[in-house]
Amino acid sequence: MNLLAPVTTLNEAQPKVLLVDDDEVNLLLTSVALRERGFAITEASSGEQALQLISQWLPDVVVLDAVMPGLDGFSTCQELRQLPGYESIPVLMLTGLDDEASITRAYEVGATDFFVKCPQWSLLAGRLRYLLRAARTRDELVRSKATLARAQDLARMGSFEWHKGLTDMTFSNEGLRVFGLGGRDELGIRRILRMMAAGDRPSFIRILHEVIHHGTVLCHDIQVTLNDGRQRILHIEAEPEFNEQAALIGYTGIVQDVTDRRVAEDQINHLANFDTLTGLPNRRQIFWRSERAIEHAKRLNHRLAILQIGVDRFKVINENLGHHAGDELLIEVARRLRNCVKHCEQVMDGGADLAAQHGHRTLEAVGRLGADEFVVLLPEVEDEQEAIDTAGRLLAVLREPMMAGGQECFITASVGVALFPEHGLAVADLLRNADVAMDLAKTHGRNTAQLYDPHLASKGRVRLELDTALHKALERNELVLYYQPKIDVRTSRMVGAEALMRWIHDGRVIPPGDFIPLAEATGLINDMSLWAIREAGRQAKRWHTLFGLDSSIAVNLPSRLFEQPDLADRIETLLRDEGVAPHFIELEITETGLMKDLQGVVPSLIKLNQLGTEISIDDFGTGYSSLAYLTTLPISELKIDRSFVRDLGTTPQSSAVVSAIIALARALGLRVIAEGVEQAPQMEVLYNLGCHICQGFLFARPMPAHEVEAWLRDTAVRQNLPRVGPLGIELGGSPLRSIAN
């Protein structure tokens, strides 16, 4: 048998034992007995041979005979312990000696245990299994300790102990590293106190005394300066230990470097409470400060004011100079507003105990609500005049020139003022009412301050209710079209009509002036306009069938509808679905809407004209435009605005303008129609100037479709519409009269 080769077994889970004995009989008997009891045995007959085997192979346990020629068991164990990786392997020393000196020597050279030679193999096997279990437990403890040390190191955490009667604490190596110290450094309470700021030491000492005196848990953060000058925040936590008599005997605890966490928490807190661009308190922080200020105002019986500031025409700066310049402008606005408020620099920290530390006046602050809107909280004012005066100072500093994007700019602002308790008892009410007042300031020309008026709230609520109901008007079939006929004054015949949208809500007709601006502001006007085209197409098709009318119905289109690149395709699809020829629909767009985005509107107009739909320019002459577009756009008709028609026959200027429009239309080959014709003299002047198609109350008011049909039948029978004949104005046998609006 090759003694240098380890014995292999079928069961790799068997414990591997290196058995060393110079007595071949004992070696054989012990080996056989242990194999029978589930061990994998590798034999060696000398210490030298055992060390040679170990250099190539790692057993689970080593069994050494103590007395051997040459290298005995004690020397072999001693050399074995010097080898890397064999510091903790279990070694059982077999000896026939039971004297105390041999046992002591066995432990001194590193033996794990000893066993007196005897034929009781079960006891030997049991001793080996015990050693193996103990070794596994020790290895697990070592790994756990290493893992714990690694985890503590990663978490910048260490442990410490303090026992009553000792003068100082004992720190682990990881705990020393938290304080920037090495394993050989000494650390006690005095050194920790020297690392702290002088002002923090008394309170920490007081906390330690109270904790020890009452036997309570210690949980505290301290700020220290390490030897290298770094400022760190350390969290110390310790629990008391008691003996059987419930007497305090000491503390065990941990110390952890929480600097990064605290910095992150501070950053999160700042982001949650302050605007990232301007550094001002945000809506949440202003809300909190306002609640505290209201509490003080109630207790001290005084007023407070909230001022909401909106930068006028800020969008113009963004669009022309870019968003970077807009950000520069907002930062400068924030700086100027903050300088107008006495205490706002003191409240930028946003501490929860602010009011208790500094008093209610330090709640005064400038905040940013978002975009170009700011808010000022005045926690105590004598009366509304003081708040208005403050608003005046804010407006004055904002009117001064400021730089944005390398360019000098001049801006103004609108300020809304709401007072506690007159205009609200809660923060939400005051902010809402200040916003209402600011909107009123903008409608009054901007660059002004406006005190909240309670009557404004009712108007605002009505507008909000209409806005909410308007979103459901289409699905509830509350929208209807009224039609106002277009009349050829030479024949008194209807040659077309204009579709005008009406909203029937809660049994009453909502005027267009009340809901059309809302629809435009919310974007609902797009869907409403497409619905109007579909309904007008159906009506034109019906009138063609009933009366043989081959004329078109005009539908007003908002300029924002032309922002849709597929507008022409959508109109073509809905007309095709209804079986309506495109020439039955005329699309009207105001001159102002056309010139707002001429380049964006032109492609859609061309596509619509190619489809067969005619285009009309409404309110012609009221906008600022270049007449060059009339020669290039596919326009079929010009509508003279009612503001020019109203003064016809009374002021020569109106006649001159109307005459010029008619001459221009005739020269370009365009139809011309006058709207708002209410009196016969207006019709006569228009006829004499060359405009033969009129629309207005002189002929018919806007009517639902069924009333238009009745009107058509009636006028066909009675022939009672005014017209211009060879002898002047004729009214079909009725006396000449004017119809007031």
Side-chain angles (χ1 to χ4, degrees), residues 263-467:
V263 170
E265 289 174 352
D266 290 343
Q267 290 176 343
I268 292 172
N269 181 65
H270 192 275
L271 290 174
N273 293 285
F274 294 86
D275 176 55
T276 55
L277 177 64
T278 63
L280 295 177
N282 60 14
R283 178 183 291 272
R284 175 182 175 182
Q285 180 67 198
I286 285 293
F287 206 97
W288 179 87
R289 296 182 193 281
S290 299
E291 286 181 332
R292 303 289 82 75
I294 288 176
E295 292 175 3
H296 283 285
K298 290 178 179 177
R299 186 163 61 251
L300 302 177
N301 194 28
H302 61 69
R303 294 175 172 177
L304 68 83
I306 289 182
L307 284 60
Q308 187 160 331
I309 303 106
V311 179
D312 297 332
R313 300 184 182 89
F314 176 70
K315 186 178 179 182
V316 176
I317 301 292
N318 266 345
E319 290 178 348
N320 290 278
L321 300 181
H323 290 280
H324 179 71
D327 289 345
E328 290 182 3
L329 189 71
L330 292 175
I331 293 172
E332 177 62 16
V333 169
R335 187 190 68 81
R336 294 188 182 187
L337 293 177
R338 196 164 57 230
N339 289 340
C340 284
V341 179
K342 295 185 289 296
H343 299 286
C344 69
E345 293 289 354
Q346 303 175 22
V347 297
M348 300 302 289
D349 56 358
D353 57 349
L354 179 87
Q357 292 179 357
H358 303 293
H360 69 280
R361 285 186 176 271
T362 59
L363 288 166
E364 189 174 59
V366 175
R368 185 185 179 201
L369 296 182
D372 59 348
E373 291 188 357
F374 298 83
V375 64
V376 170
L377 168 64
L378 303 177
E380 181 176 353
V381 293
E382 291 293 332
D383 50 28
E384 63 184 42
Q385 189 58 46
E386 182 179 349
I388 294 295
D389 291 343
T390 302
R393 291 197 302 272
L394 298 177
L395 292 174
V397 299
L398 293 180
R399 281 194 293 266
E400 298 175 4
M402 57 183 70
M403 299 297 295
Q407 181 173 331
E408 189 177 50
C409 299
F410 290 87
I411 65 166
T412 59
S414 300
V415 181
V417 181
L419 297 174
F420 171 89
E422 293 93 327
H423 303 147
L425 301 177
V427 179
D429 295 334
L430 292 172
L431 285 173
R432 182 182 65 249
N433 294 339
D435 183 52
V436 171
M438 183 191 70
D439 288 341
L440 182 64
K442 288 183 178 291
T443 60
H444 284 181
R446 301 181 173 89
N447 190 26
T448 186
Q450 178 68 45
L451 187 67
Y452 172 72
D453 183 351
H455 295 293
L456 299 175
S458 59
K459 295 181 180 179
R461 281 193 293 270
V462 170
R463 179 182 175 91
L464 179 61
E465 291 170 0
L466 286 179
D467 185 21

Side-chain angles (χ1 to χ4, degrees), residues 652-663:
Q653 293 86 352
S654 295
S655 298
V657 172
V658 172
S659 177
I661 294 174
I662 294 172

Side-chain angles (χ1 to χ4, degrees), residues 94 117 119 124 145 189 206 254 287 305 355-356 391 404 451 466 519 608 676:
L94 292 177
K117 286 184 179 180
L124 177 60
K145 185 177 180 180
I189 188 64
R206 184 174 60 254
I254 59 100
F287 206 97
L451 187 67
L466 286 179
L608 290 169

